[in-house]
Amino acid sequence: MTQPPPAGGWPDPASTGQPSSPPADPTLPVSSQPAVPPQPSGYDPYQPPVDPYAGMKSDPAAAPYPPAGYPPAQPAGYPPSPPGYGYPPPGYGYPQQKTNSMAIVALVLSLIGIGSCITAPVGAIMGHVAMRQIRETGEGGEGMAKAAIIVGWILTGLLALVIIGYAIAIAFAIANSSSTT
């Protein structure tokens, strides 16, 4: 006579057909350990506190910046690297280039020329002077100097057209007034 397979699983192929133990009751706990772990023992309230950030503190040997003397010397057989190449010094990036103050003044005078008319040509001329200084010294501000030149000469040209228009209007008014009397 054959026995039905034990509840909850397949029969053991090595068995002789008779189960060695009764089937497990599914309502009983699986292990004999209690469901809630016991409270930790051996806690000393006078023990010095443990630093929770101990693993996060930086080690000077593992610093994110290279040590002094970086970059390392070139390996044998390689030519020395040209100056100006390599990594920038530690900090916030490359040092900022100094802006030419004449370019700043030229741009301001050119823009003020919208309302005052006389400062626009002065700003354009100062823009040319600033461009020459920038080429000689290598300072920054080339874009501001170019903008001062462009804006200054455009406003100067518009001012010249307005003056010519007024001159024509005055000449026309004088010509018409003398012919009617």
Side-chain angles (χ1 to χ4, degrees):
M1 169 167 135
T2 59
Q3 295 265 344
W10 294 90
D12 185 18
S15 69
T16 59
Q18 293 294 330
S20 60
S21 64
D25 185 8
T27 60
L28 295 176
V30 177
S31 67
S32 62
Q33 294 180 350
V36 178
Q39 293 294 324
S41 61
Y43 175 72
D44 184 10
Y46 301 107
Q47 173 181 358
V50 178
D51 186 9
Y53 301 108
M56 299 166 99
K57 290 186 179 176
S58 64
D59 182 15
Y65 297 112
Y70 192 81
Q74 290 284 340
Y78 289 97
S81 56
Y85 288 93
Y87 294 106
Y92 293 104
Y94 291 103
Q96 293 295 322
Q97 193 175 27
K98 183 178 178 243
T99 304
N100 187 311
S101 58
M102 181 81 72
I104 297 170
V105 171
L107 182 60
V108 169
L109 287 175
S110 292
L111 292 175
I112 290 176
I114 294 172
S116 70
C117 298
I118 191 66
T119 61
V122 174
I125 292 168
M126 287 181 74
H128 285 289
V129 173
M131 285 293 288
R132 183 179 50 83
Q133 286 180 353
I134 289 170
R135 269 187 257 119
E136 289 175 359
T137 62
E139 291 177 316
E142 183 178 358
M144 282 191 277
K146 284 181 182 177
I149 293 168
I150 292 169
V151 170
W153 287 128
I154 287 175
L155 290 176
T156 302
L158 290 175
L159 176 64
L161 288 175
V162 168
I163 291 174
I164 291 172
Y166 277 131
I168 291 174
I170 291 172
F172 184 73
I174 291 174
N176 284 341
S177 68
S178 64
S179 64
T180 57
T181 56

